Amino acid sequence: MVVVGYLAAGDLLVELSASAAGPADVVTLDRLADAVAAALDEVAAHCARPGAGTVSPSDFPLAGLSRDDLAAFLTAVTSRRAAPSGTDPAGVDSEGTAE
């Protein structure tokens, strides 16, 4: 059995195939396809819930982060991404002068 997943034009496509698929194999592939579709629907529903996309220290066990460490890191990353080009998150431009 071969399972191939890929993105095409922003859509996730999953192809299931088996060599020499007979009638029993077709039924099995149909059931597997239905199960994969149901699982992906569950993932999509989870991602659409309020609060989805949040992380906790348990998501990064090897980093050894506390909740406060993780919050500080995420704040720094978010601030850096939101800062205008040529400035740092503290509002100091690339010349070292406050804005």
Side-chain angles (χ1 to χ4, degrees):
M1 177 173 295
V2 177
V3 178
V4 177
Y6 57 95
L7 292 174
D11 293 327
L12 173 63
L13 301 175
V14 179
E15 295 177 353
L16 308 170
S17 62
S19 59
D25 293 327
V26 171
V27 170
T28 300
L29 287 175
D30 284 345
R31 287 182 182 156
L32 180 58
D34 291 342
V36 168
L40 290 173
D41 286 343
E42 288 180 31
V43 170
H46 169 78
C47 292
R49 284 188 213 135
T54 59
V55 294
S56 71
S58 65
D59 294 317
F60 310 99
L62 299 177
L65 297 172
S66 70
R67 191 168 290 282
D68 290 340
D69 293 336
L70 182 57
F73 173 76
L74 293 174
T75 298
V77 168
T78 303
S79 296
R80 194 166 287 260
R81 289 171 69 193
S85 179
T87 66
D88 75 13
V92 177
D93 66 21
S94 57
E95 309 262 329
T97 57
E99 298 184 299

